[in-house]
Amino acid sequence: MRASAEVAARAEAELRAALASERDARAADAAAAEAEAKRCAADTVAVAAAAEAEAKQRAAGLAAGAAAADAEVERRVAAAAASAAAAVAEAGARADAAVADAAGARAEAVAMRARSAELEQSWMWAGTRASVRCPCVGWDAG
């Protein structure tokens, strides 16, 4: 009996050792699986953070581009408005100059008519005093 108790004790010890070894192997597998899960989670977080950073960078670039485009549009509108204002001012100045030229021409025409009438009158008076040949009309006064 003693031998059979020893065999049973040895078998029990071997069984306990095998169970402990199996338990340790399963614990090691679980620890490795947990470490892999943590590594995958960290990779996922890193990828998500990189994607978020890239999205923020693209959004900032798009916002800067939109701001630059808005500034360019505003600059062009201001330039067009300034150009239009200058054209209107130039047209006004030209119109004022044309009106002044027309008034000057009218005054000059009135003065020329008056001088012409005055000269005609003086030739007529000169014609009654003496026999004078008028060079412009070709008649003999007198």
Side-chain angles (χ1 to χ4, degrees):
M1 257 237 22
R2 197 172 178 198
S4 101
E6 282 181 16
V7 170
R10 208 179 295 148
E12 184 181 342
E14 286 176 6
L15 183 61
R16 284 182 192 240
L19 287 175
S21 175
E22 181 68 25
R23 185 184 63 230
D24 289 345
R26 286 190 181 183
D29 287 346
E34 183 180 355
E36 178 67 17
K38 285 182 180 179
R39 187 187 62 74
C40 286
D43 287 349
T44 302
V45 168
V47 167
E52 182 181 7
E54 184 179 352
K56 286 181 179 178
Q57 183 180 12
R58 284 186 181 180
L62 291 174
D70 286 347
E72 179 65 16
V73 167
E74 288 180 18
R75 184 192 66 76
R76 287 184 181 182
V77 166
S83 177
V88 167
E90 184 180 349
R94 285 183 181 176
D96 290 346
V99 167
D101 285 349
R106 185 176 298 134
E108 188 177 334
V110 168
M112 288 176 76
R113 276 192 224 126
R115 179 67 179 146
S116 176
E118 181 182 304
L119 287 173
E120 185 178 324
Q121 191 67 29
S122 71
W123 279 104
M124 286 183 171
W125 281 105
T128 59
R129 289 191 215 130
S131 179
V132 177
R133 180 153 181 91
C134 178
C136 57
V137 290
W139 52 269
D140 285 328

